[in-house]
Amino acid sequence: MRGDLTVLFEDDWLFVVDKPSGLLVHRGYGADEVTLVEMVARRLGRAHPVHRLDRATSGVLVFAKSGDIARDLQLQFQDGLVTKRYLALARGHIREPVTVDHPVPKDEGGERIDAVTDLVPLAHLDCAPRDVTWVEARPKTGRFHQIRRHLKHISHPVIGDSNYGKGPLNREFAAVHGLARLALHAQGLRLVHPGDARPLVFEAPLPDDLLLPLRSMGFDFLPNDLGDLV
């Protein structure tokens, strides 16, 4: 996986990939031998990521093919014109939709600023070592670890989260179901094409390192309709 890029979309303006869990996006956040930015730069000759995903999160990540295009897309993110849909496996039973409005740092170690995430439970399951909820997350802002922090804030941290979850429980899920990663996936993203203004929707299917553990737990139906992203 480290040597290949799963490309979801490419034209003269955009380059969209499906990032695997465990791959660092930028140099400077770790001492990894390879980063996603370097992989894209080797292919395109340049790399302009317009948003970010945590190392442990998988899914849709958008690159621009020039600095000007990147600035245009970053304005879309800042102005709330981009819709993002994440899927997560959360600890416990989330019984009803909730909007979490709770300040978090914009960057690691930074000052706390406003952050809002809509959470919708899709399926609940009683399984060993404890019950879990398959949940949709729609972040309205883009802060550091926002979804992970907001699920922790409502006492339903993401399974596999080494920062905000419980280590012993994460290790049990790894031992019993083979879940050796953060159970958070950037499944869909909608934006306006910077060239011709048409709406574009990108989707990344659940990767095997998340899908197979979910099936092991007993999830035989995983709602993943993109809904109003389309």
Side-chain angles (χ1 to χ4, degrees):
M1 181 64 73
R2 293 296 179 269
D4 299 320
L5 288 170
T6 300
V7 180
L8 301 174
F9 178 86
E10 181 178 8
D11 65 5
D12 291 339
W13 301 72
L14 305 173
F15 188 74
V16 184
V17 301
D18 183 356
K19 185 188 96 64
S21 174
L23 179 61
L24 193 67
V25 175
H26 298 89
R27 180 70 61 192
Y29 296 149
D32 297 46
E33 292 183 2
V34 64
T35 67
L36 183 57
V37 164
E38 291 165 344
M39 293 171 67
V40 173
R42 284 200 295 267
R43 176 159 173 165
L44 301 180
R46 59 217 179 274
H48 302 277
V50 298
H51 61 122
R52 61 189 178 187
L53 292 177
D54 300 337
R55 177 204 293 270
T57 303
S58 55
V60 178
L61 191 68
V62 179
F63 288 81
K65 287 193 171 181
S66 76
D68 288 341
I69 297 169
R71 284 187 286 275
D72 178 277
L73 291 170
Q74 286 163 356
L75 286 175
Q76 288 192 40
F77 279 88
Q78 292 170 17
D79 293 342
L81 302 177
V82 176
T83 304
K84 295 173 285 183
R85 184 181 196 259
Y86 290 74
L87 297 170
L89 186 69
R91 186 184 76 198
H93 192 178
I94 302 176
R95 299 179 182 276
E96 58 186 9
V98 59
T99 295
V100 182
D101 187 345
H102 179 70
V104 300
K106 182 178 181 180
D107 301 290
E108 186 170 9
E111 180 183 357
R112 288 180 177 269
I113 56 177
D114 290 344
V116 180
T117 306
D118 291 335
L119 299 170
V120 179
L122 301 175
H124 172 255
L125 185 68
D126 284 309
C127 68
R130 72 153 298 164
D131 66 320
V132 288
T133 300
W134 187 236
V135 61
E136 169 189 295
R138 299 276 187 114
K140 302 302 182 184
T141 48
R143 315 308 188 203
F144 182 67
H145 289 179
Q146 177 174 320
I147 294 171
R148 296 163 64 183
R149 287 175 179 269
H150 277 176
L151 281 165
K152 170 64 173 178
H153 181 68
I154 63 170
S155 300
H156 295 285
V158 180
I159 300 298
D161 195 328
S162 59
N163 291 80
Y164 310 109
K166 292 186 177 180
L169 183 63
N170 293 339
R171 289 190 288 273
E172 285 189 79
F173 271 98
V176 176
H177 302 291
L179 181 61
R181 55 159 290 178
L182 177 73
L184 179 63
H185 179 66
Q187 183 227 9
L189 185 147
R190 183 184 189 276
L191 53 74
V192 176
H193 192 283
D196 57 24
R198 74 185 188 274
L200 292 176
V201 175
F202 310 115
E203 180 181 8
L206 287 176
D208 284 348
D209 60 1
L210 184 53
L211 180 60
L212 296 180
L214 288 167
R215 288 178 175 167
S216 172
M217 294 170 207
F219 282 102
D220 56 3
F221 171 66
L222 295 172
N224 62 358
D225 179 27
L226 284 175
D228 61 7
L229 282 183
V230 177

